[in-house]
């Protein structure tokens, strides 16, 4: 699937490379973080996984493919909801 197709189907998608770098992001996700160059960053440097709490490596993240995870921006306050 081409990145353009993902942009249309899932405007908040996040694709990672095999090394854990952010390879592409949907246009809506990029708009949420206009001052942060997400593409090219290491996933775990940009985001923290809030739920489930057992994911702290790329291998553990790969085991959750297809499951919902809740992300937070690293070094940002947690939302109140």
């Amino acid at each position: 699937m081409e990145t353009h197709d993902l942009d249309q189907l899932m405007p908040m998608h996040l694709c990672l490379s095999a090394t854990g770098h952010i390879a592409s992001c949907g246009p809506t996700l990029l708009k949420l973080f206009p001052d942060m160059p997400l593409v090219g960053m290491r996933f775990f440097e940009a985001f923290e996984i809030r739920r489930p709490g057992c994911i702290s490596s790329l291998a553990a993240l790969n085991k959750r493919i297809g499951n919902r995870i809740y992300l937070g921006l690293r070094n940002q306050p947690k939302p109140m909801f």
Side-chain angles (χ1 to χ4, degrees), residues 1-64:
M1 184 172 282
E2 298 289 323
T3 302
H4 176 71
D5 295 335
L6 285 175
D7 289 350
Q8 296 296 313
L9 292 171
M10 297 179 288
M12 289 191 67
H13 77 272
L14 184 70
C15 293
L16 303 180
S17 71
T19 61
H21 289 83
I22 299 170
S24 69
C25 297
T28 302
L29 187 60
L30 289 173
K31 286 179 187 176
L32 292 174
F33 308 107
D35 298 329
M36 182 177 271
L38 291 176
V39 175
M41 291 183 74
R42 295 186 64 81
F43 174 78
F44 284 105
E45 289 175 358
F47 295 97
E48 64 180 341
I49 297 177
R50 295 205 171 137
R51 285 188 293 174
C54 59
I55 301 173
S56 60
S57 69
L58 197 56
L61 184 60
N62 280 331
K63 290 179 182 177
R64 293 294 201 153

